[in-house]
């Protein structure tokens, strides 16, 4: 079935030692840029740079092999740059080996932003709107242009919840693509890895491993893990797959993980890892140490002269105090991210080196037991006290946010620069339920008998302190309990937020925010995703500017639109942004709920094509707004919200703020015509 023959493994993978009481092994392989010893951890250089690190600091940490993301590099700077400037090694001044992913994971993380078939996936660039085809062949060509030492095949990634037939179809497609990728690679000297898929189904995982090991790959990866399954499940599947992988090829567990995850996976026979955790947590001031995980943001470190870890020889620990790092992190200084990143990367590389030494020396099993206990520790020297009941624990502010106590005694989060308070008129969870959950009849939608196959997608625009998202989670949980989990529609909750300080602050003071007494928000903060034990509810965070995600996030059924107001964040209330949301949702009925009842916001929605109705009032507000992309949805809505009518239009004609700012006369008349001729006003009195 293969057209172009490949020789034996390009890597000359040699196992040097195996642990007698474990599946752990130490090996060496050769790349075009030198030898690599395993087990190995690859820092992630998404944009041809490991965030906040220099090539020198990476080398000092002990890093040997870097991972780069084909998808991001294809979109920017683009392949021409690599072709002209001679590949990634010269481009980023890294002279060790590089592994590139296929780009598949990023594309399939955005399931509705692309069209997919046997040929590959077509998607639109978030940088310049250009259309691209990612196929097994084009992915290989891209990775070759980047100049990667180890290439990955294009695979189809599926959610951890995928049913057997869906997982099987994706696995079979992945297999056909694997053959095509091998053909595309031909006899080129770089190494090529296949990827085992099969979701959480043991029979499929086994079949996938057995199929791929027949093909002339230089290594095999385990894909589709670390996407929402529990740790126990991941360990179990990892062990199951490694049992079915050949002993003479490297095994790579993609996207994993925390230090304890690495220890557990090495114990189960994995050789290679990559993960963004060490640098991502560094940005938030979290350091891995031999005595637990330190949160350097905590006030406990304000006056601490000691290094992060006295047993660590990294530059951060040799030269800087916890107090200085605490200060840098609190001030959002890049140097804090850089230094804690150095420490975390050094910690990871030391862990890998120790594991290797123990495997070679025969002591791995004992080391595993001792290290496992050590890595599970929290911050031992300064343990976190449980939150006090209703009085805020310090700090009561973080970045641009502070706690706000209302006259009625409930707490909210206030943005300091604008003075705006999230959910100012009633307790956050109360308002969230009234405006978003009750009005959208979320509970009824979850148990609609005919609908239980199709996933319900909710956009939570403006995560804030997670009041709306948690109201949705609790609504789902109540339905799940009442219906004992049967006949419930799967839910995908997507939160958009560019600044997590509000949620971080609320979570630190969770005694003041009962809606956060739940495991989900902390998972969103630490991992960006959480799923309900039933796997029927997936909650994920898209961190960044909402406007960058409109065309890429999964197509919504419901939109909870809760950004700051026009006064604070005008860009979120323009006709243009609602027009983009409207055209994104063309394919199916969508409903948008928002607290704003301002004329400017409603005009912006109407001009975009939405049918706009009055929503219920909240506190002193007599009404809010609901927008429908289909006129008939308003009529069918269980609350029958009244559409804005001729009287509203008459008031609009008299309004001083009739037009959005900065419109020319010509644009004004076009705009007025758009509104006056809107179908919603044709049939209303
Ligand atoms: Zn250190």
């Amino acid at each position: 079935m293969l057209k172009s023959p490949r020789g034996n493994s390009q890597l000359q993978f040699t196992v040097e030692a195996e642990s007698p009481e474990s599946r752990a092994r130490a090996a060496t392989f050769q790349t075009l840029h030198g030898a690599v010893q395993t087990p190995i951890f690859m820092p992630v250089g998404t944009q041809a740079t490991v965030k906040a690190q220099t090539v020198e600091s990476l080398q000092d940490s002990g890093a040997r092999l870097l991972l780069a993301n084909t998808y991001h590099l294809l979109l920017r700077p683009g392949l021409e740059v690599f072709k002209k400037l001679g590949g990634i090694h010269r481009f980023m001044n890294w002279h060790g080996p590089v592994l590139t992913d296929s780009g598949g994971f990023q594309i399939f993380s955005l399931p509705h932003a692309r069209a997919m078939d046997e040929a590959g996936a077509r998607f639109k660039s978030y940088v310049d709107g250009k259309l691209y085809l990612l196929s097994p062949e084009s992915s290989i060509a891209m990775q070759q242009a980047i100049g990667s030492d180890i290439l990955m095949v294009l695979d189809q990634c599926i959610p951890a919840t995928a049913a057997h037939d869906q997982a099987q179809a994706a696995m079979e497609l992945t297999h056909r693509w694997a053959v095509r990728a091998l053909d595309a690679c031909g006899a080129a000297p770089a190494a090529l890895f296949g990827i085992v898929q099969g979701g959480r189904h043991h029979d499929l995982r086994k079949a996938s491993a057995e199929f791929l090991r027949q093909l002339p790959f230089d290594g095999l990866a385990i894909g589709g893990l670390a996407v929402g399954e529990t740790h126990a499940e991941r360990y179990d599947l990892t062990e199951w797959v490694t049992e079915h992988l050949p002993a003479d090829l490297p095994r790579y567990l993609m996207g994993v993980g925390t230090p304890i995850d690495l220890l557990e996976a090495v114990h189960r026979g994995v050789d290679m890892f990559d993960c963004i955790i060490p640098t991502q947590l560094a940005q938030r001031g979290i350091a891995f140490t031999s005595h637990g995980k330190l949160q350097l943001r905590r006030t406990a470190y304000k006056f601490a002269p000691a290094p992060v870890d006295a047993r660590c020889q990294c530059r951060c620990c040799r030269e800087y105090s916890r107090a200085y790092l605490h200060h840098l992190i609190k001030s959002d200084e890049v140097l804090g991210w850089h230094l804690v990143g150095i420490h975390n990367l050094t910690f990871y590389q030391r862990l890998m080196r120790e594991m290797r030494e123990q495997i070679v020396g025969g002591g791995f099993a004992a080391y595993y037991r001792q290290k496992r206990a050590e890595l599970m520790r929290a911050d031992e020297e300064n343990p976190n006290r449980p939150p006090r009941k209703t009085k805020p624990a310090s700090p009561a502010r973080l970045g641009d946010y502070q706690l706000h106590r209302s006259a009625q005694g409930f707490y909210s989060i206030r943005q300091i620069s604008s003075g705006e308070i999230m959910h100012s008129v009633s307790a956050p969870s109360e308002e969230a339920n009234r405006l978003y959950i009750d009005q959208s009849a979320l509970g009824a939608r979850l148990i609609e008998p005919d609908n239980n196959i199709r996933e319900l997608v909710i956009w939570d625009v403006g995560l804030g302190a997670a009041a709306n998202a948690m109201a949705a989670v609790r609504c789902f949980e109540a339905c799940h309990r009442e219906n004992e989990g049967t006949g419930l529609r799967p839910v995908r909750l997507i939160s958009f937020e560019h600044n997590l300080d509000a949620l971080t602050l609320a979570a630190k003071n969770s005694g003041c925010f009962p809606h956060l007494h739940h495991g989900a928000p902390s998972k969103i903060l630490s991992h960006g995703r959480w799923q309900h034990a039933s796997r029927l509810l997936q909650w994920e965070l898209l961190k960044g500017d909402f406007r960058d995600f409109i065309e890429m996030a999964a197509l919504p059924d419901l939109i909870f639109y809760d950004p700051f107001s026009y006064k604070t964040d005008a860009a979120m209330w323009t006709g243009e942004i609602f027009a983009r949301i409207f055209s994104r949702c063309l394919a199916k009925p969508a409903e948008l709920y928002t607290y704003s009842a301002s004329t400017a916001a409603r005009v912006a929605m109407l001009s975009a094509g939405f049918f706009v109705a009055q929503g219920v009032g909240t506190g002193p507000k007599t009404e809010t707004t609901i927008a429908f992309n289909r006129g008939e949805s308003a009529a069918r809505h269980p609350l029958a919200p009244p559409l804005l009518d001729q009287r509203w239009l008459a008031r609009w004609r008299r309004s001083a703020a009739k037009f959005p700012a900065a419109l020319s006369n010509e644009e004004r008349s076009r705009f007025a015509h758009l509104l006056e001729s809107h179908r919603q006003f044709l049939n209303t009195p």
Side-chain angles (χ1 to χ4, degrees), residues 97-145:
V98 170
L99 178 148
T100 41
D101 62 9
S102 68
F105 182 76
Q106 278 84 11
I107 303 215
F108 293 110
S109 312
L110 312 159
H112 295 281
R114 40 80 188 162
M116 205 213 65
D117 53 27
E118 187 73 30
R122 266 164 254 273
F123 67 98
K124 207 169 163 184
S125 159
Y126 67 85
V127 176
D128 57 10
K130 243 173 88 184
L131 278 171
Y132 287 90
L133 169 68
L134 185 71
S135 67
E137 294 80 11
S138 73
S139 172
I140 294 294
M142 289 169 200
Q143 298 179 67
Q144 286 175 335

Side-chain angles (χ1 to χ4, degrees), residues 356-416:
R356 182 178 162 84
E357 284 164 7
Q358 294 293 340
I359 297 166
V360 172
F364 181 80
Y367 173 84
Y368 165 75
R369 285 189 292 273
Q370 171 243 320
K371 202 74 187 171
R372 198 163 168 237
E374 186 183 307
L375 292 176
M376 287 200 285
R377 282 180 209 154
D379 186 348
E380 278 199 332
E381 293 171 49
N382 295 286
N384 254 315
R385 272 172 248 104
R388 277 166 284 175
K389 266 262 161 86
T390 51
K391 214 169 142 249
S394 59
R397 63 180 283 180
L398 174 60
D400 193 20
Y401 298 92
Q402 66 181 194
L403 286 195
H404 172 82
R405 188 170 190 272
S406 73
Q408 296 95 317
F410 65 82
Y411 282 90
S412 304
I413 298 287
R414 178 171 172 273
Q415 192 185 37
I416 298 167

Side-chain angles (χ1 to χ4, degrees), residues 312 314 316-317 343:
C312 178
C314 84
C316 172
C317 294
H343 169 77

